[in-house]
Amino acid sequence: MFAVHLVAFYFTKLKEDQIKKVDRFLYHMRLSDETLVDIMARFQAEMEKGLGKDTNPTASVKMLPTFVRAIPDGSENGEFLSLDLGGSKFRVLKVQVSQEGQQKVQMESQFYPMPNEITRGNGTELFDYVADCLADFMRTKNLTHKKLPLGFTFSFPCRQNKLEEDLDVDILALVNDTVGTMMTCAYDDPNCEVGIIIGTGTNACYMEDMSNIDLVEGDEGRMGINTEWGAFGDDGALEDIRTEFDRELDLGSLNPGKQLFEKMISGLYMGELVRLILLKMAKVGLLFGGAKSSALHTKGKIETQHVAAMEMSKEGLANTREILVDLGLEPSESDCIAVQHVCTIVSFRSANLCAAALAAILTRLRENKKLARLRTTVGVDGTLYKTHPQYPKRLHKVVRRLVPNCDVRFLLSESGSTKGAAMVTAVASRVQAQRKQIDKVLALFQLSREQLLSVRDKMRAELEYGLKKKTHALATVKMLPTYVYGMPDGTEKGKFLALDLGGTNFRVLLVKIRRRSVRMYNKIFAIPLEIMQGTGEELFDHIVQCIADFLDYMGLKGAQLPLGFTFSFPCRQTCIDKGTLVGWTKGFKATDCEGEDVVDMLREAIKRRNEFDLDIVAIVNDTVGTMMTCGYEDPRCEIGLIAGTGSNVCYMEEMRNIELVDGDEGRMCINTEWGGFGDNGCIDDIRTQYDKEVDEGSLNAGKQRYEKMTSGMYLGEIVRRILIDLTRQGLLFRGQISERLRTRGIFETKFLSQIESDRLALLQVRRILQQLGLDSTCEDSIVVKEVCGAVSRRAAQMCGAGMAAIVEKRREDQGLQHFKVTVGVDGTLYKLHPHFSRILQETVKDLAPQCDVTFMLSEDGSGKGAALITAVAKRLQQPQKDN
Ligand code: ADP
Ligand code: MG
């Protein structure tokens, strides 16, 4: 018993001594975590340098854009060809991706030799040879009748200009092996966004945000970056880490001074590093009793596979002895232990260095995504990683220690590089096909100039119908007289109450006008949905309740103030203080109102309450209020536009053109109610299925067709319908229509404004969508943004075409060559959408080139305008009363 212990003790002691000896000798190769963190930081700086336009030319880590923009999403489909041109052989594969909805890949392949004269010959010969092999493969596999998309793996650094190289008509993708690995793994795990190779050489790629890639145009989405990290240190950045053995190895290599990081890591060099170390140790008498063999002197005699064999946990020591004996050495027990430890130090350093650089990439990914914690997958390929017994677990452990805030999964890629080429091709071909389908949908929203001109001309015709006695009753654009004859002249003064019933809120205001200065106090009240869609009495009781609150709040109870009522719905008027509701629009549907005089309804509600009395002087459309407000400051303002919940316009028309109102002198403001344009089907040629769906789902189906294509209440809903359809076609959200997406109204127009903002990075778009409960990828986010853009752009253009009809009419009616006019505008869509106002203005300029139209934002048009109109009406009332 004792003897056994003694032997065990002796052996442990022996081992400890040997390990200490080697550790001392190779202390420079044993990297502390502190050093690794330092290397990680250096690599982060290198990546930054490689990505920058100005710094790239001198960067040693080249960070090559690969033009691979998307990773597999599992919906790839079809047959693809793939070529893998490695160092010594050349392989052609046919890959069948995901047949019958199962996510699976089948491969058939054939190796072809790569004769020396071809690899050393010129490019044309090489590609001729490749083409011959390909033709042979197609013949033997009976594929000659098909034209399959083809991917090409090329494991050498390669600057790509675009994915579809023009080498041959069929070539869809030229793929670096790291990218192939990433793509292959991503097919099985969509979280995979990094690919590394630890084999003969070493390299890594990852998905970088386009906005960080200076060398490629465009800021949307991500692109695979082939780091070519093997060259890290070529500018001297790792000199303090490199040892005398690294320098010796480099000097004896085919490319001295190049790929210095790779030479400390990869399989091509690991055995040789061990050999150089053993030789030196033998020379200084630390091994083999100072004896050397000629094999130990010979370059390349120790290979990486030997290192792996020596490090095997059980047979390692026996293997070491065998290998050393084969090298013509006579190793002692302690020699074997020492040599084994040399191998461990060299291969561990390799794993450490790889881990440091990988940790830098992971940190970059996490920071790009602005996450506190990153969950991601790294696809790995390469013989060293696959066959060395300890390598993977060491690498994983160090990475996890270096980036504790990343949950990293390592996924071994099965025949990664070749299959990857097929995957890249499959993705490229999927993206191409999807792009076509998406473009087809977006094209429905792209109106040609001819179409816009036709909208303008049809609108013009409708304006005329609405004004004429004969056609008015059937006209879709109602052209309602407002009995507002004059604009404010600056003499108005006094205190007024104003009410503003818009599409969403109700506001009560106190407006004080004195010598061209206007002061306002107001309170906003929400109109609950049940009131919007309850009875008319309830609606007006609620309104009066809000007025009572406001008067209380302002201490005005009992004051007899003149009141103007801004009512943003179509009203047929016979005088300034009477207005019969033609029909509810937007979100309103209260009963017993249509066909009734809303001023009477308000008066009755006030009576019912029996608390105060009000002098209702004017009922005002919000467009008119807006025009008035702007007209107060700019006498050229004769048009009012609202682009808010709804869409509408008013303008000053010649009395002689207004057949419904007697008198030919002067002008009167006409509330066009242009939202009803198209209700006779005249713009059905440009309405899409999505517009029809939105219409059918609305409170007033068939009505307000133009408004439903142009205003805030509907734009988000149109977008939602398109998203549902694209998802149904499998082009978005992985084909999954979520409950959220099915919910009417979730996609508010304010989200269009946010998503389309130029200041927003794609990830923020993604976050908005995620807050909406839509689980979107980066690619999804791009598509959603495009959809929003198409919908809002069309809205602005159509609105512009309508405005062009109005200003052209006014120009012609006045017989002018040039017409200069100001449009007063209000509405949150116009004010807050990042592009709507610009596109609207551009369209007007284009479609009404003889008009010089200035757009003026009205500050609180509806409220102030109502007060001004009340003031003007009061002023006009006075002489009548005096008579
Ligand atoms: P209303 O037209 O009801 O009198 P607004 O002019 O304020 O009132 O318009 C409100 C409408 O504007 C909302 O119903 C919504 O459709 C739209 N909207 C709200 N926020 C935004 C935004 N940030 N960008 C674009 N549209 C918006
Ligand atoms: Mg309004």
Side-chain angles (χ1 to χ4, degrees):
M1 241 354 240
F2 179 69
V4 175
H5 279 295
L6 194 61
V7 170
F9 170 76
Y10 171 75
F11 187 76
T12 313
K13 179 78 176 67
L14 175 78
K15 197 169 166 183
E16 266 174 18
D17 289 347
Q18 292 306 316
I19 286 175
K20 269 193 198 138
K21 174 178 82 186
V22 173
D23 278 351
R24 260 198 310 276
F25 188 72
L26 293 179
Y27 76 96
H28 200 170
M29 282 195 160
R30 295 164 58 224
L31 304 174
S32 66
D33 275 9
E34 205 181 329
T35 309
L36 293 179
V37 167
D38 182 25
I39 295 173
M40 180 177 151
R42 289 186 220 176
F43 190 67
Q44 276 176 288
E46 285 296 330
M47 288 197 283
E48 200 67 52
K49 198 171 165 192
L51 289 169
K53 206 185 205 103
D54 299 334
T55 42
N56 174 277
T58 58
S60 49
V61 175
K62 284 299 175 200
M63 305 294 280
L64 304 172
T66 63
F67 294 84
V68 166
R69 285 165 193 270
I71 47 184
D73 67 1
S75 71
E76 287 72 18
N77 220 320
E79 284 183 314
F80 303 91
L81 283 178
S82 165
L83 306 182
D84 186 7
L85 192 59
S88 55
K89 54 194 180 226
F90 165 56
R91 190 178 179 202
V92 184
L93 280 105
K94 189 195 90 175
V95 183
Q96 172 108 40
V97 182
S98 184
Q99 224 189 355
E100 286 131 28
Q102 304 155 338
Q103 196 166 319
K104 81 178 190 216
V105 179
Q106 285 176 337
M107 304 196 282
E108 287 175 58
S109 76
Q110 168 91 51
F111 282 99
Y112 292 90
M114 204 59 183
N116 266 340
E117 62 273 22
I118 297 285
T119 34
R120 302 221 186 95
N122 64 29
T124 322
E125 285 164 355
L126 174 67
F127 285 105
D128 281 351
Y129 177 73
V130 167
D132 287 346
C133 298
L134 189 59
D136 175 71
F137 183 82
M138 308 260 297
R139 256 195 316 276
T140 48
K141 301 285 172 196
N142 241 334
L143 294 170
T144 33
H145 56 288
K146 293 186 183 171
K147 187 172 170 182
L148 300 180
L150 180 139
F152 196 172
T153 312
F154 206 69
S155 354
F156 311 97
C158 190
R159 266 192 203 276
Q160 285 173 233
N161 285 324
K162 55 176 154 58
L163 193 62
E164 297 86 15
E165 284 284 304
D166 55 5
L167 290 165
D168 194 294
V169 281
D170 295 312
I171 297 185
L172 203 55
L174 186 63
V175 184
N176 180 272
D177 52 354
T178 53
V179 180
T181 299
M182 174 176 76
M183 295 296 261
T184 309
C185 292
Y187 189 64
D188 297 323
D189 178 348
N191 279 326
C192 182
E193 48 193 348
V194 183
I196 61 176
I197 302 274
I198 312 170
T200 311
T202 184
N203 191 12
C205 75
Y206 71 101
M207 296 302 287
E208 177 62 86
D209 290 3
M210 279 292 286
S211 55
N212 294 331
I213 309 176
D214 285 358
L215 299 172
V216 183
E217 288 272 315
D219 274 348
E220 305 291 351
R222 300 201 298 171
M223 180 180 281
I225 288 286
N226 166 15
T227 63
E228 289 297 333
W229 77 11
F232 180 30
D234 287 7
D235 59 354
L238 295 173
E239 284 316 294
D240 55 330
I241 308 294
R242 293 174 72 223
T243 64
E244 57 176 297
F245 308 109
D246 296 305
R247 291 181 224 283
E248 199 178 337
L249 176 134
D250 178 47
L251 287 174
S253 72
L254 290 172
N255 52 350
K258 299 262 155 60
Q259 298 293 98
L260 297 185
F261 190 59
E262 178 168 79
K263 283 171 182 163
M264 292 191 271
I265 293 175
S266 79
L268 188 57
Y269 309 101
M270 187 174 283
E272 183 63 5
L273 267 180
V274 168
R275 185 187 70 84
L276 293 172
I277 294 166
L278 298 189
L279 186 60
K280 178 75 188 278
M281 287 181 80
K283 275 184 183 161
V284 298
L286 287 171
L287 280 176
F288 318 126
K292 293 147 281 181
S293 66
S294 71
L296 192 59
H297 272 291
T298 311
K299 188 176 155 192
K301 277 292 175 186
I302 300 181
E303 294 174 22
T304 300
Q305 68 188 65
H306 298 131
V307 178
M310 291 191 271
E311 282 189 69
M312 282 169 75
S313 44
K314 281 214 190 80
E315 314 91 316
L317 217 49
N319 290 345
T320 306
R321 171 175 301 281
E322 208 172 291
I323 288 163
L324 294 174
V325 169
D326 281 352
L327 286 171
L329 297 159
E330 289 167 15
S332 66
E333 187 69 32
S334 30
D335 285 336
C336 291
I337 293 169
V339 168
Q340 195 179 36
H341 195 54
V342 168
C343 291
T344 302
I345 288 183
V346 171
S347 67
F348 213 131
R349 184 185 68 156
S350 160
N352 273 335
L353 289 171
C354 242
L358 178 57
I361 291 181
L362 295 171
T363 303
R364 191 170 172 92
L365 277 173
R366 187 179 59 76
E367 285 172 357
N368 279 349
K369 297 190 190 191
K370 301 190 173 58
L371 292 173
R373 224 186 152 72
L374 173 76
R375 228 185 97 216
T376 193
T377 299
V378 175
V380 199
D381 199 359
T383 329
L384 177 55
Y385 180 87
K386 280 185 183 167
T387 57
H388 188 288
Q390 327 282 350
Y391 202 96
K393 63 171 186 265
R394 286 179 191 157
L395 176 76
H396 303 171
K397 207 165 155 183
V398 181
V399 168
R400 287 179 184 131
R401 218 164 55 222
L402 291 178
V403 280
N405 44 10
C406 295
D407 300 312
V408 193
R409 180 177 178 228
F410 289 86
L411 197 59
L412 194 60
S413 127
E414 290 171 58
S415 59
S417 50
T418 4
K419 188 164 138 194
M423 288 321 310
V424 174
T425 314
V427 170
S429 118
R430 182 225 339 137
V431 168
Q432 226 174 44
Q434 291 186 338
R435 193 65 242 176
K436 269 193 201 141
Q437 274 173 278
I438 292 167
D439 286 345
K440 218 165 109 189
V441 170
L442 294 181
L444 300 172
F445 289 83
Q446 282 143 13
L447 302 179
S448 65
R449 190 158 190 276
E450 280 59 46
Q451 285 172 312
L452 288 171
L453 284 169
S454 143
V455 169
R456 180 195 70 183
D457 296 343
K458 285 174 187 164
M459 176 66 90
R460 174 71 186 273
E462 295 294 326
L463 298 175
E464 307 291 355
Y465 292 148
L467 287 172
K468 300 258 178 325
K469 230 181 202 135
K470 249 204 295 202
T471 41
H472 174 84
L474 291 175
T476 56
V477 178
K478 289 284 171 222
M479 304 298 277
L480 303 169
T482 62
Y483 294 85
V484 168
Y485 296 95
M487 303 291 281
D489 64 3
T491 64
E492 296 75 12
K493 61 178 201 288
K495 275 201 236 175
F496 305 90
L497 271 183
L499 311 179
D500 176 14
L501 185 64
T504 11
N505 289 319
F506 176 60
R507 288 190 316 152
V508 187
L509 304 95
L510 173 69
V511 186
K512 293 186 188 171
I513 307 176
R514 210 173 132 245
R515 272 192 246 114
R516 284 207 169 266
S517 96
V518 179
R519 273 197 287 169
M520 299 197 287
Y521 309 85
N522 78 84
K523 217 170 162 182
I524 299 182
F525 301 89
I527 306 253
L529 197 68
E530 64 270 21
I531 298 233
M532 280 189 201
Q533 300 175 16
T535 69
E537 265 194 23
E538 282 163 352
L539 173 63
F540 281 91
D541 283 346
H542 179 77
I543 286 175
V544 172
Q545 167 73 50
C546 298
I547 299 173
D549 276 3
F550 180 77
L551 292 175
D552 246 359
Y553 171 76
M554 298 295 300
L556 283 173
K557 253 209 168 133
Q560 262 261 6
L561 298 177
L563 178 144
F565 185 9
T566 301
F567 188 71
S568 323
F569 303 91
C571 274
R572 194 173 295 289
Q573 292 186 250
T574 49
C575 54
I576 188 89
D577 61 353
K578 276 193 189 315
T580 309
L581 177 61
V582 177
W584 285 119
T585 56
K586 298 176 272 192
F588 277 73
K589 212 188 177 173
T591 56
D592 313 314
C593 297
E594 295 181 0
E596 300 293 321
D597 181 352
V598 288
V599 178
D600 280 346
M601 293 191 76
L602 180 59
R603 283 207 180 100
E604 277 156 29
I606 293 172
K607 238 183 252 160
R608 274 200 296 280
R609 190 172 178 100
N610 198 21
E611 256 181 50
F612 51 82
D613 198 16
L614 295 171
D615 171 20
I616 307 176
V617 177
I619 174 153
V620 182
N621 185 268
D622 55 348
T623 53
V624 186
T626 299
M627 179 184 78
M628 281 295 184
T629 309
C630 293
Y632 194 57
E633 277 154 48
D634 178 351
R636 277 220 167 82
C637 180
E638 322 185 339
I639 301 174
L641 166 70
I642 297 280
T645 307
S647 172
N648 194 15
V649 160
C650 74
Y651 71 101
M652 295 304 291
E653 178 59 278
E654 307 300 329
M655 278 296 285
R656 64 182 135 80
N657 291 338
I658 308 173
E659 295 188 357
L660 296 174
V661 182
D662 291 341
D664 279 352
E665 291 307 307
R667 303 187 302 171
M668 181 189 277
C669 179
I670 290 290
N671 166 16
T672 64
E673 286 298 333
W674 79 1
F677 176 50
D679 288 4
N680 55 3
C682 72
I683 51 170
D684 278 3
D685 56 327
I686 55 172
R687 286 173 80 225
T688 65
Q689 82 185 72
Y690 313 105
D691 296 305
K692 289 171 194 156
E693 285 168 18
V694 168
D695 179 40
E696 281 155 20
S698 71
L699 287 172
N700 50 351
K703 303 247 165 69
Q704 302 290 101
R705 294 189 195 179
Y706 180 69
E707 176 167 81
K708 284 171 185 166
M709 298 166 88
T710 52
S711 80
M713 183 158 175
Y714 306 99
L715 298 191
E717 195 55 13
I718 300 174
V719 168
R720 188 181 70 88
R721 298 284 174 168
I722 300 173
L723 298 187
I724 289 181
D725 187 45
L726 292 179
T727 311
R728 209 173 272 144
Q729 294 185 47
L731 303 170
L732 267 182
F733 306 133
R734 302 195 172 91
Q736 301 293 314
I737 302 181
S738 60
E739 260 327 295
R740 292 290 294 161
L741 195 55
R742 268 187 243 277
T743 314
R744 183 178 305 161
I746 54 135
F747 215 102
E748 293 173 43
T749 299
K750 72 169 182 222
F751 296 125
L752 266 76
S753 293
Q754 288 177 14
I755 288 170
E756 289 183 62
S757 161
D758 292 327
R759 279 165 304 164
L760 215 60
L762 205 65
L763 271 160
Q764 291 168 286
V765 173
R766 191 171 169 196
R767 206 152 301 150
I768 294 171
L769 293 173
Q770 280 168 344
Q771 274 162 12
L772 279 173
L774 304 174
D775 188 17
S776 85
T777 62
C778 269
E779 285 99 57
D780 289 341
S781 309
I782 295 177
V783 176
V784 172
K785 188 168 175 174
E786 286 178 307
V787 169
C788 291
V791 170
S792 63
R793 177 178 198 84
R794 185 191 66 163
Q797 287 179 327
M798 286 190 62
C799 211
M803 183 54 77
I806 305 254
V807 293
E808 270 297 283
K809 173 173 165 44
R810 287 301 297 143
R811 183 185 67 78
E812 284 177 23
D813 284 355
Q814 297 171 79
L816 296 170
Q817 195 59 30
H818 290 285
F819 178 44
K820 200 166 156 56
V821 66
T822 297
V823 178
V825 200
D826 200 357
T828 307
L829 175 61
Y830 184 92
K831 284 182 174 169
L832 293 189
H833 189 281
H835 309 301
F836 186 90
S837 56
R838 177 181 44 82
I839 298 171
L840 166 69
Q841 293 175 24
E842 285 168 4
T843 311
V844 176
K845 207 172 200 152
D846 183 31
L847 303 185
Q850 284 163 277
C851 299
D852 178 0
V853 186
T854 306
F855 288 80
M856 179 174 180
L857 262 186
S858 105
E859 280 304 324
D860 212 338
S862 318
K864 197 156 134 187
L868 285 169
I869 289 166
T870 309
V872 173
K874 265 271 175 236
R875 194 183 69 207
L876 295 176
Q877 257 175 22
Q878 226 46 58
Q880 284 173 3
K881 277 189 186 152
D882 293 349
N883 286 348

